[in-house]
Each structure stands twice: as structure tokens, then as C-alpha cells.
Amino acid sequence: ERFHKINSCRNRGIAQFIRRVITGIVLWFCLLETLSAPAAETTNSEFLVKSWQNEDGLPHSIINTILQTHDGYLWIGTYVGLVRFDGERFVQYSARDVPDLETGEIIYLFEDRDDTLWVALQNGRLLAWKEGAVRVVLPGSATNQPVVCMAQQANGALWLQTADGALGRVAT
């Protein structure tokens, strides 16, 4: 039995050596492949990358959440409110325009099958926004946890998860 343990340690050392050699060879070939590949042409890319800043109309440099709705708009949640982007210009919604946004600290966005935009705020408030009308579904408070995820069942039931892991169903 003692010989078997010594032998198995020796085999482990050989196995580790072989793994290191094989890993080194694979990395060497990956490096050669990378160096021999032609440089990517930025003008032939399928994607156009553009970065928008505050100077372009984005009201805050930190984006907490982003969602594309059925009508093609991008909705962006920031610490200072909600933003709709059509690809060219930003339209900002804040408590000044929509009083129910309160502090405007948007942390999650969701669109259901009825095209309702759900807006979750840092203070736990949850809003349902449909065709320009906003209703408060969950009031916010210092003790409420924010909604961080939502899902919709095939039967239309809406479920949500809060930051502390609680699961709930939205009563509509």
C-alpha cells in the first residue's frame, strides 16, 4: 500500500508536467494564430460603434438599465431619470415632467406583452407606464427593496424579484 501511494504521487507529478507541456503548446499555437491573422478592418465591420455622452443629450453618464421596446425606442434608466432614445436624440423624463418618478433613480426597466413599460426606482417604487399614463403599482419608501428583475408567464401573470431576493406576483 505504501508503494502504491508513492507511485501515485509520482504519476500525479508526471501528469501535471504533461498538462503543463500541452497547455504551453496550445498557447503557443494560439499566439501564432493571433499574430498571423490579418488586422481587422474597422471600415468593413458589420457594426457601427458610437458612444453618446452628456454633450450629446444623455442626461447622466451612468446608465443603470436599458431596454428596447416593441416600437423600437431605447429606454434608458439613469440616476436622474428616464430617457427615451430614437437613434438620433434623447428625450428625458424626470419628476418635473412625470411627478411619479420622484427622485428619478431608475434601476430596472421591463416591457410586458401588453406594451406596458415597467419602471423600477431605487427606493422600491414600481411604475406602470402605458400610452403616456403612469400609475404607481408599488409605493417607494426607505424600507422597500428595489425591483431588480421581472418576468411574464404565458398566462400574462407578472412576477418580480427584489434586491433582497424576495419573489412576488404583481396584482393587476
Side-chain angles (χ1 to χ4, degrees), residues 113-154:
R113 285 188 221 112
D114 295 329
D115 304 332
T116 300
L117 178 64
W118 295 84
V119 181
L121 283 81
Q122 180 67 38
N123 67 359
R125 181 174 271 235
L126 181 64
L127 306 175
W129 188 326
K130 181 152 175 111
E131 298 172 356
V134 178
R135 69 181 167 92
V136 177
V137 177
L138 293 175
S141 74
T143 58
N144 285 4
Q145 291 290 316
V147 172
V148 295
C149 187
M150 290 183 74
Q152 188 170 27
Q153 283 184 276

Side-chain angles (χ1 to χ4, degrees), residues 54-71:
N54 298 97
E55 301 82 35
D56 301 309
L58 188 61
H60 199 274
S61 59
I62 297 176
I63 294 173
N64 299 326
T65 183
I66 188 167
L67 171 76
Q68 184 173 17
T69 51
H70 72 282
D71 53 7

Side-chain angles (χ1 to χ4, degrees), residues 110 112-114 118 150-159 169-172:
F110 178 78
D112 67 18
R113 285 188 221 112
D114 295 329
W118 295 84
M150 290 183 74
Q152 188 170 27
Q153 283 184 276
N155 67 3
L158 287 167
W159 291 85
R169 185 169 180 217
V170 178
T172 54

Side-chain angles (χ1 to χ4, degrees), residues 32-58:
L32 287 176
E33 181 69 25
T34 302
L35 293 175
S36 65
E41 296 283 331
T42 56
T43 57
N44 292 338
S45 174
E46 292 180 42
F47 302 100
L48 175 64
V49 178
K50 179 169 170 55
S51 176
W52 283 275
Q53 307 294 324
N54 298 97
E55 301 82 35
D56 301 309
L58 188 61

Side-chain angles (χ1 to χ4, degrees), residues 66-87:
I66 188 167
L67 171 76
Q68 184 173 17
T69 51
H70 72 282
D71 53 7
Y73 287 112
L74 287 181
W75 289 86
I76 302 165
T78 71
Y79 286 116
V80 296
L82 187 62
V83 181
R84 189 183 70 200
F85 183 59
D86 63 6

